[in-house]
DNA sequence: GCGACAG
DNA sequence: ATCTTGTCGC
């Protein structure tokens, strides 16, 4: 017997996200000054997902280490439940790192999520590491004239550029997260996630399936 | 019921 | 995200 997708229990997944959201620490809790920063992304090829993580020197922005982890995926993409499809390979790749970054930038929203538990937050709470969500498009909330994304009188994130949405993941304040992302930006997309994306595609293209 | 919807 | 050819521009 075969199945293309294992449908997840959305009710259960929603409860997990609500639990994750309660665990989030919205204050800076990492060693400063930051020396190493991680970037995380995921690519797909046929029925496999490739988690990729890179570690950059926070000041020089050069890549110091790169790791990947491949796994079969059966979970479909369902808006607001992205983490249940991608987080496994993200964790797999991060566990292979020898350098431990003070903080990670994740290619997805964090708190800027209907239940305040986007993938960046999910990953941070799960691994108990500081994370920042860096998404490339809109998911939820209303954009104020000053660029902040709000919902129910709560600030969820900030639109730094047309295609760069910043929100906290875990163990960092939004203000600090924005400062960090700005400092890591030389191109349109901040270096950590940009490099992670490049590496994910590199691995994907070399992958023989 | 309708529209919106990260990667 | 992935599938894809040619095409525009620095």
């Amino acid at each position: 017997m075969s199945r293309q997708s294992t449908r997840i229990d959305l009710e259960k997944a929603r409860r997990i996200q609500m639990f994750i959201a309660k665990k989030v620490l919205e204050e800076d809790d990492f060693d400063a000054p930051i020396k190493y920063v991680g970037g995380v992304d995921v690519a797909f090829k046929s029925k496999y997902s490739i988690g990729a993580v890179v570690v950059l020197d926070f000041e020089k922005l050069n890549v110091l280490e790169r790791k990947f982890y491949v796994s079969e995926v059966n979970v479909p993409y369902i808006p607001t439940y992205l983490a249940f499809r991608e987080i496994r390979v993200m964790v797999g790749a991060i566990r292979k790192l020898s350098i431990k970054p003070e903080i990670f930038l994740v290619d997805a929203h964090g708190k800027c999520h209907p239940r305040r538990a986007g993938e960046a937050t999910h990953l941070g709470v799960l691994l108990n590491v500081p994370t920042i969500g860096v998404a490339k498009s809109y998911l939820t909330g209303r954009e104020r004239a000053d660029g902040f994304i709000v919902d129910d009188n709560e600030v969820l994130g900030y639109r730094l550029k047309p295609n760069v949405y910043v929100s906290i993941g875990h163990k960092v304040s939004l203000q600090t997260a924005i400062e960090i992302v700005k400092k890591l930006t030389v191109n349109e997309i901040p270096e950590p996630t940009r490099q992670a994306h490049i590496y994910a595609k590199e691995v994907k293209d070399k992958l023989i399936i």
Side-chain angles (χ1 to χ4, degrees):
Chain A
M1 188 191 102
S2 69
R3 59 189 173 190
Q4 283 203 319
S5 63
T6 300
R7 48 176 161 295
I8 60 176
D9 184 334
L10 295 185
E11 191 54 48
K12 188 175 179 179
R14 194 166 67 86
R15 272 189 246 111
I16 290 172
Q17 291 181 326
M18 292 170 77
F19 175 78
I20 298 260
K22 285 191 298 184
K23 298 295 184 184
V24 177
L25 178 61
E26 305 200 18
E27 297 163 25
D28 298 341
D29 184 23
F30 50 83
D31 294 331
I34 297 172
K35 191 171 181 185
Y36 305 115
V37 57
V40 192
D41 189 26
V42 178
F44 296 85
K45 186 165 188 177
S46 66
K47 59 180 180 180
Y48 297 94
S49 59
I50 303 121
V53 60
V54 297
V55 177
L56 282 66
D57 178 300
F58 189 78
E59 295 298 332
K60 298 181 178 179
L61 299 184
N62 54 321
V63 180
L64 302 174
E65 184 175 22
R66 309 198 293 181
K67 295 293 179 184
F68 71 89
Y69 185 89
V70 180
S71 177
E72 201 175 314
V73 272
N74 295 306
V75 182
Y77 166 65
I78 301 173
T80 77
Y81 295 96
L82 177 66
F84 297 91
R85 172 173 164 81
E86 301 187 337
I87 210 161
R88 196 172 173 168
V89 288
M90 282 188 168
V91 173
I94 291 172
R95 287 189 59 188
K96 292 166 76 173
L97 289 176
S98 56
I99 301 176
K100 304 300 178 186
E102 282 84 3
I103 193 164
F104 291 89
L105 264 59
V106 183
D107 186 47
H109 285 291
K111 181 179 178 176
C112 197
H113 176 278
R115 292 168 290 286
R116 290 36 169 162
E119 184 163 47
T121 294
H122 199 127
L123 182 69
V125 172
L126 189 67
L127 298 182
N128 189 34
V129 295
T131 56
I132 294 172
V134 182
K136 298 182 290 297
S137 63
Y138 170 88
L139 174 61
T140 193
R142 177 179 67 81
E143 184 180 338
R144 251 170 23 191
D146 60 8
F148 284 91
I149 308 298
V150 298
D151 189 30
D152 288 330
N153 299 309
E154 183 179 21
V155 177
L156 303 184
Y158 178 70
R159 185 176 185 171
L160 186 59
K161 293 191 174 195
N163 289 297
V164 178
Y165 292 76
V166 179
S167 64
I168 68 160
H170 187 44
K171 295 192 166 186
V172 68
S173 65
L174 179 56
Q175 184 188 328
T176 300
I178 293 170
E179 289 173 3
I180 289 175
V181 174
K182 280 182 178 175
K183 179 154 189 176
L184 296 169
T185 299
V186 287
N187 295 290
E188 180 71 11
I189 304 298
E191 280 306 289
T193 46
R194 195 177 77 85
Q195 290 296 340
H197 188 271
I198 290 172
Y199 182 49
K201 171 154 177 60
E202 193 176 309
V203 173
K204 171 191 166 178
D205 291 341
K206 288 181 180 175
L207 203 59
I208 304 171
I209 297 179

